[in-house]
Amino acid sequence: MADTTGTAGPSDPAGHPLLARHAAALDLFTDRVHAVGGDQWDAPTPCTDWSVHDLVNHLTTEQLWVPSLVRDGATIESVGDSFDGDMLGPDPVASWDTAAAAAREAFREPGALDRTVHLSFGETAADFYCGQMISDLVVHAWDLSRAIGADEKLPDDLVAFSVREITPYAADLAKTGLFAPAVEPPRDADVQTKLLSLLGRRV
């Protein structure tokens, strides 16, 4: 289950530590999306075969799933192919902003983190799902930063959270096809480098 260390609880959505991390991760990726130059959408990223457009589309699609799964109790089967293909349209930045806002609000609804969501691998606690989404946003923020030449330094607290979140299931991530196999980090690697190495990134 995701790390929810803090003083506020689910009855105080605005102050819940997991939701604060989720908001910070969304803000981090949003900042990078807004920094994409008009001529950079076709640029390559550290994610194999993904351009900047593909990467932002992937994260946008991930956010679009959140209201259906968390708020509506939908299943993968009931949503079907609604979010397949290009979800960015003619204005990728606006499409990202809209999807991110919807995901933020869905997780912030009272009691949302106490629910169960139906994911591809089975029924899952919503707070665990939220933790996964945070880590995904953080790591892909680095991918996007590298692709567009933005600041690659990630916030220390989000990096530390993501390491704790991902480590228990890191060995299974490469099987999804979305992450490369882990690489051995340098002996003197900092926490961010260890996180990226865990997910197959070569810094």
Side-chain angles (χ1 to χ4, degrees):
M1 185 166 292
D3 173 14
T4 58
T5 303
T7 56
S11 61
D12 178 21
H16 194 290
L18 189 63
L19 293 177
R21 291 190 180 99
H22 180 251
L26 278 173
D27 291 344
L28 173 67
F29 196 82
T30 296
D31 178 75
R32 299 306 190 268
V33 172
H34 282 252
V36 177
D39 61 347
Q40 292 183 310
W41 289 98
D42 291 327
T45 73
C47 301
T48 305
D49 299 328
W50 276 2
S51 66
V52 168
H53 182 281
D54 296 332
L55 176 60
V56 176
N57 186 63
H58 168 69
L59 268 295
T60 299
T61 300
E62 291 291 298
Q63 308 320 306
L64 290 172
W65 274 96
V66 175
S68 294
L69 296 175
V70 175
R71 184 191 63 211
D72 303 333
T75 63
I76 301 295
E77 293 74 20
S78 66
V79 174
D81 60 2
S82 299
F83 303 131
D84 287 357
D86 179 17
M87 303 305 295
L88 297 183
D91 191 341
V93 176
S95 296
W96 161 259
D97 287 345
T98 299
R104 188 190 305 257
E105 289 307 310
F107 273 126
R108 284 169 60 91
E109 286 185 3
L113 294 181
D114 299 325
R115 298 170 188 162
T116 298
V117 294
H118 305 276
L119 303 183
S120 58
F121 50 84
E123 293 191 348
T124 305
D127 61 346
F128 180 80
Y129 175 44
C130 186
Q132 287 187 314
M133 294 291 284
I134 293 168
S135 300
D136 198 48
L137 286 160
V138 171
V139 173
H140 285 314
W142 180 87
D143 293 327
L144 186 53
S145 298
R146 171 148 292 196
I148 66 173
D151 183 6
E152 296 180 11
K153 181 69 171 68
L154 302 170
D156 291 341
D157 58 332
L158 291 178
V159 170
F161 171 84
S162 297
V163 169
R164 294 194 302 271
E165 179 69 22
I166 292 171
T167 298
Y169 54 82
D172 295 326
L173 290 176
K175 301 175 185 177
T176 67
L178 298 177
F179 296 95
V183 298
E184 187 68 27
R187 181 172 299 180
D188 59 348
D190 59 16
V191 178
Q192 176 171 313
T193 300
K194 291 177 180 177
L195 170 64
L196 296 171
S197 298
L198 193 64
L199 296 172
R201 272 64 171 174
R202 297 184 183 276
V203 180

